[in-house]
Amino acid sequence: NVIGKMMKEAFENGQYKLPELPYSFDGLEPHIDAATLQIHHDKHHQSYVDGLNKTIQEIADLEGEIDDESAKLYGLERNLSFNAGGHVLHTLFWATMAPKAGGEPTGNIADAINNNFNSFDFFKKYFSKVATTIKGSGWALLTYEPIGDKLIVFAVNDHDKYLGPGAIPLLTVDVWEHAYYLKYQNNREEFVKAWWNLVNWNEVDKAYTWIRRRFKDKEKM
């Protein structure tokens, strides 16, 4: 599927890499304009990839100096969290959008949303509210929490994935201003409203079904 393909492309030959988009820069028009998509992917996402590779190398270069570099180590760990989160969340963001998508989910993900949020309408309102009320830059995430076998929505500041232990992101929306400012200026609510027209529920369902099966089948191992 698209998510698996892009995640595989996101790391090759010992280095993190910028995966190619599964659509053209104008493929998400009119909801996301081509100029924003190109800058967002080629410039912003690339900077997180570069920062991640650089930070990992700097951590490796600390060998033998860890005891004397506690302040530097703290900064490197902060950079690692920021850049790794940026790379993973952006990769999933691209993979879960598609031209002429949107609508309501079907399949296993639809059943799970109804079971966990009572209805798709409530889930959509709740997720949108989380996304539009994040203070500053960040993300809203729909995740699968395998211990309780539940879907949970999290707000993320910047790119730091402060999630419940083991929670696995399935769907993300980026609400940093660089994701929408050229078209929507500071109107985050209009951007999130438009983004729902791009959600590739087929891909989200595939990811949810695959991940949940891996955890639920553990009892048979």
Side-chain angles (χ1 to χ4, degrees):
N1 58 32
V2 178
I3 295 174
K5 181 176 182 294
M6 291 194 71
M7 288 295 179
K8 184 177 180 180
E9 291 177 357
F11 184 84
E12 291 182 354
N13 301 320
Q15 290 281 303
Y16 290 94
K17 288 183 57 179
L18 181 69
E20 293 185 7
L21 293 173
Y23 32 74
S24 61
F25 289 126
D26 62 356
L28 302 183
E29 295 269 12
H31 309 295
I32 296 179
D33 59 286
T36 295
L37 185 56
Q38 183 171 10
I39 294 169
H40 195 173
H41 177 267
D42 290 2
K43 302 298 184 181
H44 290 282
H45 190 172
Q46 181 67 63
S47 72
Y48 307 129
V49 173
D50 294 341
L52 179 55
N53 286 320
K54 179 175 182 289
T55 302
I56 289 175
Q57 184 58 54
E58 289 177 340
I59 291 173
D61 291 342
L62 280 178
E63 183 177 3
E65 303 176 16
I66 293 177
D67 291 340
D68 300 323
E69 297 287 352
S70 58
K72 183 176 182 180
L73 184 60
Y74 175 83
L76 289 173
E77 285 296 309
R78 179 68 180 85
N79 290 340
L80 183 65
S81 174
F82 181 85
N83 288 302
H87 184 33
V88 172
L89 294 177
H90 276 93
T91 300
L92 187 60
F93 182 53
W94 311 132
T96 52
M97 294 189 292
K100 299 178 181 179
E104 296 193 12
T106 58
N108 294 323
I109 190 65
D111 293 339
I113 286 173
N114 287 329
N115 289 336
N116 286 270
F117 298 95
N118 295 323
S119 71
F120 176 69
D121 286 342
F122 175 73
F123 160 73
K124 186 175 179 180
K125 290 177 183 177
Y126 180 76
F127 189 94
S128 296
K129 194 67 174 178
V130 170
T132 55
T133 56
I134 292 170
K135 296 184 184 300
S137 301
W139 300 72
L141 278 62
L142 173 66
T143 71
Y144 174 63
E145 194 285 288
I147 296 174
D149 191 28
K150 292 181 178 298
L151 296 181
I152 300 176
V153 173
F154 286 95
V156 171
N157 293 112
D158 294 335
H159 299 308
D160 295 321
K161 301 195 298 299
Y162 299 126
L163 308 180
I168 303 167
L170 297 170
L171 177 67
T172 67
V173 61
D174 185 349
V175 290
W176 283 60
E177 284 194 342
H178 64 237
Y180 58 87
Y181 196 83
L182 291 182
K183 182 176 179 67
Y184 299 94
Q185 283 77 56
N186 64 337
N187 196 336
R188 183 186 289 180
E189 289 187 11
E190 283 301 307
F191 166 67
V192 173
K193 182 179 178 181
W195 167 79
W196 286 109
N197 295 297
L198 300 171
V199 175
N200 189 344
W201 285 113
N202 184 49
E203 285 300 314
V204 178
D205 180 57
K206 289 179 183 176
Y208 169 72
T209 301
W210 187 89
I211 290 168
R212 185 170 185 265
R213 183 179 296 128
R214 293 309 182 274
F215 282 98
K216 297 302 290 183
D217 285 353
K218 68 181 182 296
E219 298 173 359
K220 303 176 182 178
M221 295 174 63

